[in-house]
Amino acid sequence: NAGVTQTPKFQVLKTGQSMTLQCAQDMNHEYMSWYRQDPGMGLRLIHYSVGAGITDQGEVPNGYNVSRSTTEDFPLRLLSAAPSQTSVYFCASSRQSGTGYYGYTFGSGTRLTVV
Amino acid sequence: ILNVEQSPQSLHVQEGDSTNFTCSFPSSNFYALHWYRWETAKSPEALFVMTLNGDEKKKGRISATLNTKEGYSYLYIKGSQPEDSATYLCARNTGNQFYFGTGTSLTVIP
């Protein structure tokens, strides 16, 4: 049972480049989300999805796009990378949406540097 | 309180000491309160999910309580061990969104 798999683990981008961070879970979790973690800021929600075909914005969505074509996958796209997007990104999933009754399972994180 | 706040930001305790820290959150629109344990170079791992006022949860030497009316939760560690060293995060759920605190960094000195 792999849990939540994030790729890549590390990435360096030049300003203006685009890329996709991959996230896949094999637990049939309904809810998936992306967070960024910055020093002194805690984990901040970028986008989330309550099921295939449904996505919504979190606290800090600007500069990012997501899609959820399957239950398993929830990729995060950086449209035109900026130095302010240098951060550690975590994908997380949970069994059920709308109640918070189940804890998150987190991926191992992607450390992104934009130069 | 607009955000989830955790205190203290960090603490150092001696092995064998018991300790506790606080998570404060807005009491309105409350669904659930989560605690996570986050070791360096790893991902956060869920410790507890609490939903009802007065909830108490326990896992080994770690326990947590919840007061939804006044908007706080306590995490207790009894007889701290070096392997308890980690950052402890709390998160408030408002339905489909989670709001995390910045965590309490615990160092247990052997």
Side-chain angles (χ1 to χ4, degrees):
Chain A
N1 208 356
V4 178
T5 302
Q6 273 185 250
T7 57
K9 292 193 183 304
F10 302 94
Q11 183 71 49
V12 178
L13 288 179
K14 293 183 179 178
T15 297
Q17 285 185 316
S18 63
M19 78 159 295
T20 299
L21 307 185
Q22 302 290 345
C23 176
Q25 53 90 10
D26 60 358
M27 299 170 286
N28 201 31
H29 280 179
E30 187 175 279
Y31 183 92
M32 296 185 75
S33 56
W34 277 101
Y35 286 86
R36 59 178 290 172
Q37 196 258 329
D38 302 294
M41 300 290 290
L43 290 164
R44 291 185 293 168
L45 182 64
I46 304 171
H47 285 285
Y48 66 94
S49 169
V50 299
I54 307 170
T55 64
D56 209 343
Q57 296 181 351
E59 293 178 77
V60 288
N62 292 340
Y64 307 95
N65 272 356
V66 292
S67 60
R68 185 102 179 263
S69 56
T70 67
T71 300
E72 294 78 20
D73 299 299
F74 190 46
L76 178 73
R77 295 184 195 82
L78 279 71
L79 309 173
S80 176
S84 60
Q85 293 179 303
T86 294
S87 187
V88 181
Y89 292 83
F90 286 95
C91 178
S93 71
S94 178
R95 192 197 301 188
Q96 184 185 57
S97 59
T99 63
Y101 290 168
Y102 297 94
Y104 270 140
T105 300
F106 282 86
S108 56
T110 297
R111 185 174 293 275
L112 175 68
T113 302
V114 182
V115 298
Chain B
I1 300 173
L2 296 179
N3 298 314
V4 176
E5 297 178 356
Q6 292 188 247
S7 63
Q9 188 173 9
S10 66
L11 76 162
H12 293 70
V13 301
Q14 290 292 132
E15 181 176 354
D17 286 351
S18 294
T19 187
N20 65 85
F21 16 97
T22 305
C23 173
S24 302
F25 52 88
S27 54
S28 61
N29 197 27
F30 177 86
Y31 280 72
L33 192 285
H34 292 202
W35 280 100
Y36 292 85
R37 182 171 179 272
W38 194 356
E39 291 181 73
T40 302
K42 293 187 178 180
S43 306
E45 291 185 356
L47 282 174
F48 303 116
V49 176
M50 295 184 287
T51 58
L52 299 176
N53 185 47
D55 261 355
E56 293 187 24
K57 294 285 179 83
K58 186 175 181 182
K59 184 182 290 188
R61 294 177 291 99
I62 304 176
S63 60
T65 61
L66 178 66
N67 183 322
T68 60
K69 293 183 178 179
E70 296 182 39
Y72 65 84
S73 175
Y74 294 137
L75 189 80
Y76 301 91
I77 302 179
K78 184 178 178 181
S80 303
Q81 300 296 309
E83 56 265 31
D84 295 329
S85 296
T87 295
Y88 291 84
L89 297 176
C90 69
R92 164 180 169 255
N93 177 270
T94 60
N96 281 325
Q97 299 208 24
F98 286 80
Y99 296 90
F100 280 83
T102 54
T104 293
S105 175
L106 173 67
T107 303
V108 181
I109 304 164

Coordinates of all heavy atoms in Angstrom, one line a residue, chain B residues 25-102:
Chain B
F25 N -8.4 28.2 18.5 CA -9.0 28.4 17.2 C -10.4 29.1 17.4 O -11.0 29.1 18.4 CB -9.2 27.0 16.6 CG -9.9 26.0 17.5 CD1 -11.3 25.9 17.5 CD2 -9.2 25.2 18.3 CE1 -11.9 25.0 18.3 CE2 -9.8 24.3 19.2 CZ -11.2 24.2 19.2
P26 N -10.9 29.6 16.2 CA -12.2 30.2 16.3 C -13.2 29.1 16.6 O -13.2 28.1 16.0 CB -12.4 30.8 14.9 CG -11.0 30.9 14.3 CD -10.2 29.8 15.0
S27 N -14.2 29.4 17.5 CA -15.1 28.4 17.9 C -16.3 28.3 16.9 O -17.1 27.4 17.0 CB -15.6 28.6 19.3 OG -16.1 30.0 19.4
S28 N -16.5 29.3 16.0 CA -17.6 29.3 15.1 C -17.3 28.3 13.9 O -16.1 28.1 13.6 CB -17.8 30.7 14.5 OG -16.7 31.1 13.9
N29 N -18.4 27.8 13.3 CA -18.2 26.9 12.1 C -17.2 25.8 12.3 O -16.4 25.6 11.5 CB -17.8 27.8 10.9 CG -18.1 27.1 9.6 OD1 -19.0 26.2 9.5 ND2 -17.4 27.4 8.6
F30 N -17.3 25.1 13.4 CA -16.4 24.1 13.8 C -16.9 22.7 13.4 O -18.0 22.4 13.6 CB -16.1 24.1 15.3 CG -15.2 23.0 15.8 CD1 -13.9 23.2 15.8 CD2 -15.7 21.8 16.2 CE1 -13.0 22.2 16.2 CE2 -14.9 20.8 16.7 CZ -13.5 21.0 16.6
Y31 N -16.0 22.0 12.7 CA -16.3 20.6 12.4 C -15.4 19.6 13.1 O -15.9 18.6 13.7 CB -16.2 20.4 10.9 CG -17.3 20.8 10.1 CD1 -17.5 22.2 9.9 CD2 -18.2 19.9 9.5 CE1 -18.6 22.6 9.1 CE2 -19.3 20.4 8.7 CZ -19.4 21.7 8.5 OH -20.5 22.2 7.8
A32 N -14.1 19.8 13.1 CA -13.2 18.9 13.7 C -11.9 19.6 14.0 O -11.5 20.6 13.4 CB -13.0 17.7 12.8
L33 N -11.1 19.0 14.9 CA -9.8 19.5 15.3 C -8.9 18.3 15.1 O -9.1 17.2 15.7 CB -9.8 20.1 16.7 CG -8.6 20.9 17.2 CD1 -7.4 20.1 17.5 CD2 -8.2 22.0 16.3
H34 N -7.8 18.5 14.4 CA -6.8 17.5 14.2 C -5.5 17.8 14.8 O -5.1 19.0 14.9 CB -6.5 17.3 12.7 CG -7.7 16.8 11.9 ND1 -7.5 16.1 10.6 CD2 -9.0 16.8 12.1 CE1 -8.6 15.8 10.2 NE2 -9.6 16.2 11.0
W35 N -4.8 16.8 15.3 CA -3.4 16.9 15.8 C -2.5 16.0 14.9 O -2.9 14.9 14.6 CB -3.2 16.5 17.2 CG -3.7 17.6 18.2 CD1 -4.8 17.7 18.9 CD2 -2.9 18.7 18.7 NE1 -4.9 18.7 19.7 CE2 -3.7 19.4 19.6 CE3 -1.6 19.2 18.4 CZ2 -3.2 20.6 20.2 CZ3 -1.2 20.3 19.0 CH2 -2.0 21.0 19.9
Y36 N -1.4 16.6 14.5 CA -0.4 15.9 13.7 C 1.0 15.9 14.3 O 1.3 17.0 14.9 CB -0.3 16.5 12.3 CG -1.6 16.2 11.5 CD1 -2.6 17.1 11.5 CD2 -1.7 15.1 10.6 CE1 -3.8 16.9 10.8 CE2 -2.8 14.9 9.9 CZ -3.9 15.8 10.0 OH -5.0 15.6 9.3
R37 N 1.7 14.9 14.1 CA 3.1 14.9 14.6 C 4.0 14.9 13.3 O 3.8 14.1 12.4 CB 3.4 13.6 15.4 CG 4.7 13.4 15.9 CD 4.7 12.2 16.9 NE 6.1 12.0 17.4 CZ 7.0 11.3 16.9 NH1 6.8 10.7 15.7 NH2 8.2 11.1 17.4
W38 N 5.0 15.8 13.3 CA 5.8 16.0 12.1 C 7.3 16.0 12.5 O 7.8 16.9 13.1 CB 5.5 17.4 11.5 CG 6.0 17.6 10.1 CD1 6.7 16.8 9.4 CD2 5.7 18.7 9.3 NE1 7.0 17.3 8.2 CE2 6.4 18.5 8.1 CE3 5.0 19.9 9.5 CZ2 6.3 19.4 7.0 CZ3 5.0 20.8 8.5 CH2 5.6 20.6 7.3
E39 N 7.9 14.8 12.2 CA 9.3 14.7 12.4 C 10.1 15.3 11.3 O 9.7 15.3 10.1 CB 9.7 13.2 12.5 CG 9.1 12.5 13.8 CD 9.6 11.1 13.8 OE1 10.8 10.8 14.1 OE2 8.7 10.2 13.6
T40 N 11.3 15.8 11.6 CA 12.2 16.4 10.6 C 12.4 15.4 9.4 O 12.6 14.2 9.7 CB 13.5 16.8 11.2 OG1 13.2 17.7 12.3 CG2 14.4 17.5 10.2
A41 N 12.3 15.9 8.2 CA 12.6 15.2 7.0 C 11.5 14.1 6.7 O 11.7 13.3 5.8 CB 14.0 14.5 7.0
K42 N 10.4 14.2 7.4 CA 9.3 13.2 7.2 C 8.0 14.1 6.9 O 8.1 15.3 6.8 CB 9.1 12.3 8.3 CG 10.2 11.3 8.6 CD 9.9 10.3 9.6 CE 11.0 9.3 9.8 NZ 10.7 8.3 10.9
S43 N 6.9 13.4 6.6 CA 5.6 14.0 6.4 C 4.9 14.0 7.7 O 5.0 13.2 8.6 CB 4.8 13.3 5.4 OG 5.6 13.1 4.2
P44 N 3.9 15.0 7.9 CA 3.1 15.0 9.1 C 2.3 13.7 9.2 O 1.8 13.1 8.1 CB 2.1 16.2 8.8 CG 2.9 17.0 7.9 CD 3.7 16.1 7.0
E45 N 2.1 13.2 10.4 CA 1.3 12.0 10.6 C 0.2 12.3 11.6 O 0.4 12.9 12.6 CB 2.2 10.8 11.2 CG 3.2 10.3 10.2 CD 4.0 9.1 10.8 OE1 3.7 8.8 12.0 OE2 4.8 8.6 10.1
A46 N -1.0 11.8 11.2 CA -2.2 12.1 12.1 C -2.1 11.4 13.4 O -1.7 10.3 13.5 CB -3.4 11.7 11.3
L47 N -2.3 12.2 14.5 CA -2.4 11.7 15.8 C -3.8 11.5 16.3 O -4.2 10.4 16.7 CB -1.7 12.6 16.8 CG -0.2 12.6 16.8 CD1 0.3 13.8 17.8 CD2 0.4 11.3 17.3
F48 N -4.6 12.6 16.3 CA -5.9 12.6 16.8 C -6.8 13.4 15.9 O -6.4 14.4 15.3 CB -6.0 13.2 18.2 CG -5.1 12.5 19.2 CD1 -4.1 13.2 19.8 CD2 -5.3 11.2 19.6 CE1 -3.3 12.6 20.7 CE2 -4.5 10.6 20.5 CZ -3.5 11.3 21.1
V49 N -8.1 12.9 15.8 CA -9.2 13.7 15.2 C -10.3 13.8 16.3 O -10.7 12.8 16.8 CB -9.8 13.1 13.9 CG1 -11.0 13.9 13.4 CG2 -8.7 13.0 12.9
M50 N -10.6 15.1 16.6 CA -11.6 15.3 17.7 C -12.7 16.2 17.1 O -12.5 17.1 16.4 CB -11.0 15.9 18.9 CG -10.0 15.0 19.6 SD -9.3 15.7 21.1 CE -8.3 16.9 20.4
T51 N -14.0 15.8 17.5 CA -15.1 16.5 16.9 C -16.1 17.1 17.9 O -16.8 18.1 17.6 CB -15.9 15.6 15.9 OG1 -16.3 14.4 16.7 CG2 -15.0 15.1 14.8
L52 N -16.2 16.5 19.1 CA -17.2 16.9 20.1 C -16.6 17.6 21.2 O -15.5 17.3 21.7 CB -17.9 15.7 20.6 CG -18.7 14.9 19.5 CD1 -19.3 13.6 20.2 CD2 -19.8 15.7 18.9
N53 N -17.3 18.6 21.7 CA -16.8 19.3 22.9 C -16.6 18.3 24.1 O -17.5 17.5 24.3 CB -17.9 20.4 23.3 CG -17.4 21.2 24.5 OD1 -16.2 21.7 24.5 ND2 -18.2 21.5 25.4
G54 N -15.5 18.4 24.7 CA -15.2 17.5 25.8 C -14.5 16.2 25.4 O -14.1 15.4 26.2
D55 N -14.3 16.1 24.1 CA -13.6 14.9 23.6 C -12.2 14.8 24.2 O -11.5 15.8 24.4 CB -13.4 15.0 22.0 CG -14.4 14.2 21.3 OD1 -15.2 13.5 21.9 OD2 -14.4 14.3 20.0
E56 N -11.8 13.5 24.6 CA -10.5 13.2 25.0 C -10.0 12.0 24.2 O -10.7 11.0 24.1 CB -10.5 12.9 26.5 CG -10.8 14.1 27.4 CD -10.6 13.8 28.9 OE1 -9.8 12.9 29.2 OE2 -11.2 14.5 29.7
K57 N -8.8 12.1 23.7 CA -8.2 11.0 23.0 C -6.9 10.7 23.5 O -6.2 11.6 24.1 CB -8.1 11.4 21.5 CG -9.4 11.6 20.7 CD -10.1 10.3 20.4 CE -11.4 10.5 19.7 NZ -11.3 10.7 18.3
K58 N -6.5 9.4 23.5 CA -5.2 9.0 24.0 C -4.6 8.0 23.1 O -5.2 7.1 22.6 CB -5.4 8.4 25.4 CG -4.1 8.1 26.1 CD -4.4 7.6 27.6 CE -3.1 7.3 28.3 NZ -3.3 6.8 29.6
K59 N -3.2 8.1 22.9 CA -2.4 7.1 22.2 C -1.1 7.0 22.9 O -0.2 7.8 22.8 CB -2.2 7.6 20.7 CG -1.5 6.6 19.9 CD -1.3 7.2 18.4 CE -2.6 7.3 17.7 NZ -2.3 7.7 16.2
G60 N -1.0 5.9 23.7 CA 0.2 5.7 24.5 C 0.4 6.8 25.5 O -0.5 7.0 26.3
R61 N 1.5 7.5 25.4 CA 1.8 8.5 26.4 C 1.2 9.9 26.0 O 1.4 10.9 26.7 CB 3.3 8.6 26.6 CG 3.9 7.4 27.2 CD 5.4 7.5 27.4 NE 6.1 7.5 26.1 CZ 6.5 8.5 25.4 NH1 6.3 9.7 25.9 NH2 7.1 8.4 24.2
I62 N 0.6 9.9 24.8 CA 0.1 11.2 24.3 C -1.4 11.2 24.4 O -2.0 10.3 24.1 CB 0.6 11.4 22.8 CG1 2.1 11.3 22.7 CG2 0.1 12.7 22.3 CD1 2.6 11.4 21.3
S63 N -1.9 12.4 24.8 CA -3.3 12.5 24.9 C -3.7 13.9 24.5 O -2.9 14.8 24.5 CB -3.9 12.2 26.3 OG -3.3 13.1 27.3
A64 N -5.0 14.1 24.2 CA -5.5 15.4 23.8 C -6.9 15.6 24.3 O -7.6 14.7 24.5 CB -5.4 15.6 22.3
T65 N -7.2 16.9 24.6 CA -8.6 17.3 25.0 C -9.1 18.4 24.1 O -8.3 19.1 23.4 CB -8.6 17.8 26.4 OG1 -7.7 18.9 26.5 CG2 -8.1 16.7 27.4
L66 N -10.4 18.6 24.0 CA -11.0 19.5 23.1 C -12.1 20.3 23.9 O -13.0 19.7 24.5 CB -11.6 18.8 21.9 CG -12.3 19.7 20.9 CD1 -11.4 20.7 20.2 CD2 -13.1 18.8 19.9
N67 N -12.0 21.6 23.7 CA -13.1 22.5 24.2 C -13.5 23.4 23.0 O -12.9 24.4 22.7 CB -12.6 23.4 25.4 CG -13.7 24.3 26.0 OD1 -14.5 24.8 25.2 ND2 -13.6 24.5 27.3
T68 N -14.7 23.0 22.4 CA -15.1 23.8 21.2 C -15.8 25.1 21.6 O -15.9 26.0 20.8 CB -16.1 22.9 20.4 OG1 -17.2 22.6 21.2 CG2 -15.4 21.6 19.9
K69 N -16.3 25.2 22.8 CA -17.1 26.4 23.2 C -16.1 27.5 23.4 O -16.5 28.7 23.0 CB -17.9 26.1 24.5 CG -19.0 25.1 24.3 CD -19.8 24.9 25.5 CE -21.0 23.9 25.3 NZ -21.8 23.7 26.5
E70 N -15.0 27.3 24.0 CA -14.0 28.3 24.2 C -12.9 28.3 23.1 O -12.1 29.2 23.1 CB -13.4 28.2 25.6 CG -14.5 28.5 26.6 CD -13.9 28.4 28.0 OE1 -12.8 28.9 28.2 OE2 -14.5 27.8 28.9
G71 N -12.9 27.3 22.3 CA -11.9 27.3 21.1 C -10.5 27.0 21.5 O -9.6 27.7 21.2
Y72 N -10.3 25.8 22.2 CA -8.9 25.4 22.5 C -8.8 23.9 22.6 O -9.8 23.2 22.9 CB -8.3 26.1 23.7 CG -9.0 25.8 25.0 CD1 -8.6 24.6 25.7 CD2 -9.9 26.6 25.5 CE1 -9.2 24.3 26.9 CE2 -10.5 26.3 26.8 CZ -10.2 25.2 27.4 OH -10.8 24.9 28.6
S73 N -7.6 23.4 22.4 CA -7.3 22.0 22.5 C -5.9 21.9 23.2 O -5.1 22.7 22.8 CB -7.3 21.3 21.2 OG -6.9 19.9 21.3
Y74 N -5.8 21.0 24.1 CA -4.5 20.7 24.7 C -3.9 19.4 24.2 O -4.7 18.4 24.1 CB -4.6 20.7 26.2 CG -5.0 22.0 26.8 CD1 -5.9 22.0 27.9 CD2 -4.4 23.2 26.4 CE1 -6.2 23.2 28.5 CE2 -4.7 24.4 27.0 CZ -5.7 24.4 28.1 OH -6.0 25.6 28.7
L75 N -2.6 19.3 24.0 CA -1.9 18.1 23.7 C -1.0 17.8 24.9 O -0.2 18.7 25.3 CB -1.2 18.1 22.4 CG -0.6 16.8 22.0 CD1 -1.7 15.9 21.3 CD2 0.6 17.0 21.0
Y76 N -1.1 16.6 25.5 CA -0.2 16.3 26.6 C 0.7 15.1 26.3 O 0.3 14.2 25.6 CB -1.1 15.8 27.8 CG -2.1 16.8 28.3 CD1 -3.4 16.8 27.8 CD2 -1.8 17.7 29.3 CE1 -4.3 17.7 28.3 CE2 -2.7 18.6 29.8 CZ -4.0 18.6 29.3 OH -4.9 19.5 29.7
I77 N 2.0 15.2 26.7 CA 2.9 14.1 26.6 C 3.4 13.8 28.0 O 4.0 14.7 28.6 CB 4.1 14.4 25.6 CG1 3.5 14.8 24.2 CG2 5.0 13.2 25.5 CD1 4.6 15.2 23.2
K78 N 3.2 12.5 28.4 CA 3.6 12.1 29.7 C 4.9 11.4 29.6 O 5.1 10.5 28.7 CB 2.5 11.2 30.3 CG 2.8 10.7 31.7 CD 1.6 9.8 32.1 CE 1.9 9.3 33.5 NZ 0.8 8.4 34.0
G79 N 5.9 11.8 30.4 CA 7.2 11.1 30.4 C 7.9 11.2 29.1 O 8.2 10.2 28.5
S80 N 8.2 12.4 28.7 CA 8.7 12.6 27.3 C 10.0 11.8 27.1 O 10.8 11.6 28.0 CB 9.1 14.1 27.1 OG 7.9 14.9 27.4
Q81 N 10.1 11.3 25.9 CA 11.2 10.5 25.4 C 11.9 11.2 24.2 O 11.2 12.0 23.5 CB 10.8 9.1 25.0 CG 10.2 8.3 26.1 CD 11.1 8.0 27.2 OE1 12.3 7.6 27.0 NE2 10.7 8.4 28.5
P82 N 13.2 11.0 24.0 CA 13.8 11.7 22.8 C 13.1 11.4 21.5 O 13.1 12.3 20.7 CB 15.2 11.0 22.8 CG 15.5 10.7 24.3 CD 14.2 10.3 24.8
E83 N 12.5 10.3 21.4 CA 11.8 10.0 20.1 C 10.5 10.8 20.0 O 9.9 10.8 18.9 CB 11.4 8.5 20.0 CG 10.6 7.9 21.1 CD 11.5 7.3 22.1 OE1 12.7 7.7 22.3 OE2 11.0 6.3 22.8
D84 N 10.1 11.5 21.0 CA 8.9 12.4 20.9 C 9.3 13.8 20.3 O 8.4 14.6 20.0 CB 8.3 12.7 22.3 CG 7.8 11.5 23.0 OD1 7.3 10.6 22.2 OD2 7.8 11.4 24.2
S85 N 10.6 14.0 20.1 CA 11.1 15.3 19.5 C 10.5 15.4 18.1 O 10.7 14.5 17.2 CB 12.6 15.3 19.4 OG 13.1 15.3 20.7
A86 N 9.7 16.4 17.9 CA 9.0 16.6 16.6 C 8.3 18.0 16.7 O 8.3 18.6 17.7 CB 8.0 15.5 16.3
T87 N 7.7 18.4 15.6 CA 6.8 19.5 15.6 C 5.4 19.0 15.6 O 5.0 18.0 14.9 CB 7.0 20.4 14.3 OG1 8.3 21.0 14.4 CG2 6.0 21.5 14.3
Y88 N 4.6 19.5 16.5 CA 3.2 19.1 16.7 C 2.3 20.1 16.1 O 2.3 21.3 16.6 CB 2.9 18.8 18.2 CG 3.7 17.6 18.6 CD1 5.0 17.7 19.1 CD2 3.1 16.3 18.6 CE1 5.7 16.6 19.5 CE2 3.8 15.2 19.0 CZ 5.1 15.3 19.4 OH 5.9 14.2 19.8
L89 N 1.5 19.7 15.1 CA 0.6 20.7 14.4 C -0.8 20.4 14.8 O -1.2 19.2 15.0 CB 0.7 20.5 12.9 CG 2.0 20.7 12.2 CD1 1.9 20.3 10.7 CD2 2.4 22.2 12.3
C90 N -1.6 21.5 14.9 CA -3.0 21.3 15.0 C -3.7 21.9 13.8 O -3.1 22.8 13.2 CB -3.6 21.8 16.3 SG -3.6 23.6 16.5
A91 N -4.8 21.4 13.4 CA -5.6 21.9 12.3 C -7.1 21.9 12.6 O -7.6 21.0 13.1 CB -5.3 21.1 11.0
R92 N -7.7 23.0 12.2 CA -9.1 23.2 12.4 C -9.8 22.9 11.0 O -9.4 23.5 10.0 CB -9.5 24.6 12.9 CG -10.9 25.0 12.8 CD -11.0 26.4 13.4 NE -12.3 27.0 13.1 CZ -12.5 27.9 12.2 NH1 -11.5 28.4 11.5 NH2 -13.7 28.4 12.0
N93 N -10.9 22.1 11.1 CA -11.6 21.8 9.8 C -12.9 22.6 9.9 O -13.6 22.5 10.9 CB -11.8 20.3 9.7 CG -12.7 20.0 8.5 OD1 -13.9 19.9 8.6 ND2 -12.0 19.8 7.4
T94 N -13.3 23.2 8.8 CA -14.5 24.0 8.7 C -15.4 23.4 7.6 O -16.3 24.1 7.0 CB -14.3 25.5 8.3 OG1 -13.6 25.5 7.1 CG2 -13.4 26.1 9.4
G95 N -15.3 22.1 7.3 CA -16.1 21.5 6.3 C -15.1 20.9 5.3 O -14.7 19.8 5.4
N96 N -14.8 21.7 4.3 CA -13.9 21.2 3.2 C -12.5 21.8 3.3 O -11.6 21.5 2.5 CB -14.4 21.4 1.9 CG -15.5 20.4 1.5 OD1 -15.4 19.2 1.9 ND2 -16.5 20.8 0.8
Q97 N -12.3 22.7 4.3 CA -11.0 23.4 4.4 C -10.4 23.2 5.7 O -11.1 23.2 6.8 CB -11.1 24.9 4.1 CG -11.6 25.2 2.7 CD -11.1 26.5 2.1 OE1 -10.1 27.0 2.5 NE2 -11.9 27.0 1.2
F98 N -9.1 22.9 5.7 CA -8.3 22.8 7.0 C -7.4 24.0 7.1 O -6.8 24.5 6.2 CB -7.4 21.6 6.9 CG -8.1 20.3 7.1 CD1 -8.8 19.7 6.0 CD2 -8.1 19.6 8.3 CE1 -9.4 18.5 6.1 CE2 -8.8 18.4 8.4 CZ -9.4 17.8 7.3
Y99 N -7.4 24.5 8.3 CA -6.5 25.7 8.7 C -5.5 25.2 9.7 O -5.9 24.8 10.8 CB -7.3 26.9 9.2 CG -8.2 27.4 8.1 CD1 -9.5 27.0 8.0 CD2 -7.8 28.4 7.2 CE1 -10.4 27.4 7.0 CE2 -8.6 28.9 6.3 CZ -9.9 28.4 6.2 OH -10.7 28.9 5.2
F100 N -4.2 25.2 9.4 CA -3.2 24.7 10.2 C -2.6 25.8 11.1 O -2.4 26.9 10.6 CB -2.1 24.0 9.4 CG -2.4 22.6 9.0 CD1 -3.1 22.4 7.8 CD2 -1.9 21.6 9.7 CE1 -3.4 21.2 7.4 CE2 -2.2 20.3 9.3 CZ -2.9 20.1 8.1
G101 N -2.2 25.5 12.3 CA -1.3 26.3 13.1 C 0.1 26.2 12.6 O 0.4 25.3 11.8
T102 N 1.0 27.0 13.2 CA 2.4 27.0 12.8 C 3.2 25.9 13.6 O 4.4 25.7 13.3 CB 3.1 28.3 12.9 OG1 2.9 28.8 14.2 CG2 2.5 29.3 11.9

